[in-house]
Amino acid sequence: MSVDILEWYESSTREGQVAGISAMEFDTAFLKKYKLLLRFPTPSAVLEFSWNVLYYRLRANFDSLKSSYCPKSLGSAGNEGQAVYEHGKQVIEVKSNGATIVVEYADDTGGGSLVADLLVAADGSTSHVRQLQLLELQFTYAGYAIWRGTVLERDVSEATRNICQTKTNLWTVRGGYLAVYTIPGEKGTIKPGERLLNYVWYCNYSEDSQDLAAAMTDIDGRRHNHTLPIGKMSSTVWNNQKAIATEQLPPPFVELIHKIIQPFITVVRDIASPQAAFHDGRVLLVGDALTPFRPHVACSTNQAALNALLLNKLLRGEITLVQWEMQVLAYAHVTRLRSITWGSGYQIGYLAWAIDRANYLLAATV
C-alpha cells in the first residue's frame, strides 16, 4: 500500500506548537498497537505530551523524519509500502472518477493532482474537504475564546512550581475558568525545570465584542476567525489581558501569565458533520475534520486515534463501511455533546450544564 500525505504547511519543521495533549483510551491503544507508547515521555501518571512531541514521533514512524525530538527512525511505516509526506500542498478540489478519487491541489509550482483509491481527509476543524462535500454546513460561535501559552518551569518561583507541577490545576472565575498543567519541554524533555507549564484560560465574549475583535486582529491588521497565531498578538491586547489576570486571579496564575512570552488565542466554534463517508466510501472524514470538540474533554486526538484504528479494520475487511461510519459518528456525536456540557457548566452556569447534561445522557443511550 502506498500512502501520500498532502500537507498545506510549507516545511517539516513545526516549532512553536506547544499545545498540550492528554492521551485517552484510544490514543493509548493506537500507540501500543504501533509500539510507540513506551517511547513517549510523560511527567505525570496521565500520559500528557506536547503537540511537538507527538508530531515528530509519528513522523519518525511514518517516513523516518529525523529531528531533535526523535533523531532516529521509529520503524518507518514505509516498510509496508511507500510513505510520502509532501509539503506546501493545499487541496482545492475533490472529484469522483468512477472507482477512484481525483485530488487537485495548489502549490508554489502551479499545482497538480493525484488519483487515489481512498482519500482520508484529516485536514482539521476548518476542513476544506468537508466544506466541499457539505456546502451548507457552517460553524456556530460557542460564546467564548481560549487564551493560551507556556512557561518554562525554571522561570517561575518555587511556590508556583510546587503548586503546578505533575497535576492539573483548575481555577474558576466569573465568565470562565483556567487550567494549568505540565507538558514536556524542548525536544520532549521531562527534566524538572525544563518542562513547560501549559496555561489555558477560557473567557466569555459576545460575538460582537470589541475586545474579542481586538484580540483576534494580529499585529499586521489581519482579523482571524479561529486562531490568532503565535507571535502575532498585539502587545496592547496582551497587556490588557495581563491586567485582567492581575485583578481576578490568585498569585501563582498571575505570575504565570506575566511570564508567557508567546501567547495565542483561539475562538471556540462548533460544527458537526452528519456523515463521515462520501463517494461510496472513497472519501472519509476523520478527526477534527469530522467533528471538532470543545477542548474541555481533551478528546480530539482520541477521536483521531479511534478513527484510525477503525480504518485499519475497515481496510482489512474486519468491518464494513457502514459499521465504520456508524461507530465514528456515534463517538463524535456523544463526545461533542459531552464537551458542550462541560463547557456550559464552567462558562455559563449549572442550569445550562443540567440542560446539556440531559441531552448528553439521552444521546449516550440511543
Side-chain angles (χ1 to χ4, degrees), residues 150-151 155-157 242 254-261:
T150 59
V151 182
D155 290 342
V156 301
S157 65
K242 288 191 289 186
V254 172
E255 179 185 1
L256 283 170
I257 198 169
H258 277 268
K259 291 184 175 177
I260 292 174
I261 304 299

Side-chain angles (χ1 to χ4, degrees), residues 148-166:
R148 308 182 72 164
T150 59
V151 182
L152 272 171
E153 275 186 328
R154 65 168 179 259
D155 290 342
V156 301
S157 65
E158 182 178 358
T160 296
R161 282 199 305 273
N162 290 339
I163 290 172
C164 296
Q165 64 185 0
T166 70

Side-chain angles (χ1 to χ4, degrees), residues 277-299:
F278 304 85
H279 298 293
D280 297 323
R282 293 190 295 277
V283 175
L284 304 178
L285 299 181
V286 298
D288 283 349
L290 174 61
T291 297
F293 308 137
R294 299 188 189 183
H296 315 284
V297 293
C299 283

Side-chain angles (χ1 to χ4, degrees), residues 16-241:
Q17 303 290 334
V18 293
I21 295 174
S22 297
M24 302 299 179
E25 70 275 24
F26 299 120
D27 294 305
T28 303
F30 180 89
L31 297 174
K32 283 183 176 179
K33 180 177 180 64
Y34 296 101
K35 299 180 175 62
L36 294 172
L37 181 62
L38 296 179
R39 304 179 190 187
F40 279 83
T42 176
S44 67
V46 177
L47 186 61
E48 294 176 346
F49 41 87
S50 67
W51 190 96
N52 279 4
V53 170
L54 182 60
Y55 168 75
Y56 284 112
R57 299 266 173 159
L58 292 178
R59 283 295 303 272
N61 183 63
F62 177 71
D63 64 341
S64 298
L65 177 71
K66 294 181 180 180
S67 67
S68 58
Y69 287 84
C70 200
K72 297 181 180 180
S73 169
L74 297 182
S76 173
N79 294 334
E80 299 180 4
Q82 185 179 8
V84 179
Y85 203 109
E86 299 189 70
H87 296 277
K89 310 290 186 184
Q90 179 69 57
V91 173
I92 57 174
E93 188 60 81
V94 175
K95 299 177 180 178
S96 177
N97 185 22
T100 58
I101 292 294
V102 179
V103 182
E104 298 178 2
Y105 60 85
D107 61 16
D108 58 9
T109 66
S113 63
L114 286 176
V115 177
D117 297 314
L118 173 67
L119 171 62
V120 179
D123 51 340
S125 61
T126 59
S127 171
H128 184 61
V129 176
R130 181 187 64 224
Q131 184 180 6
L132 291 172
Q133 310 308 311
L134 302 164
L135 297 177
E136 297 182 358
L137 191 64
Q138 300 293 324
F139 280 96
T140 57
Y141 177 51
Y144 51 98
I146 314 168
W147 298 83
R148 308 182 72 164
T150 59
V151 182
L152 272 171
E153 275 186 328
R154 65 168 179 259
D155 290 342
V156 301
S157 65
E158 182 178 358
T160 296
R161 282 199 305 273
N162 290 339
I163 290 172
C164 296
Q165 64 185 0
T166 70
K167 60 183 177 182
T168 298
N169 294 266
L170 301 179
W171 187 267
T172 57
V173 294
R174 181 178 296 277
Y177 78 103
L178 61 89
V180 177
Y181 53 94
T182 307
I183 61 175
E186 184 69 19
K187 301 180 183 179
T189 180
I190 58 169
K191 183 178 179 181
E194 296 182 11
R195 298 174 296 193
L196 294 171
L197 296 174
N198 197 42
Y199 193 100
V200 185
W201 186 3
Y202 297 85
C203 294
N204 290 346
Y205 297 97
S206 62
E207 193 163 10
D208 60 356
S209 164
Q210 293 301 308
D211 289 338
L212 181 60
M216 296 302 295
T217 302
D218 66 25
I219 55 178
D220 301 316
R222 178 188 173 191
R223 173 72 183 269
H224 296 262
N225 291 324
H226 294 276
T227 295
L228 184 92
I230 292 174
K232 289 292 187 177
M233 185 172 291
S234 158
S235 59
T236 300
V237 167
W238 184 233
N239 287 336
N240 180 65
Q241 193 64 17

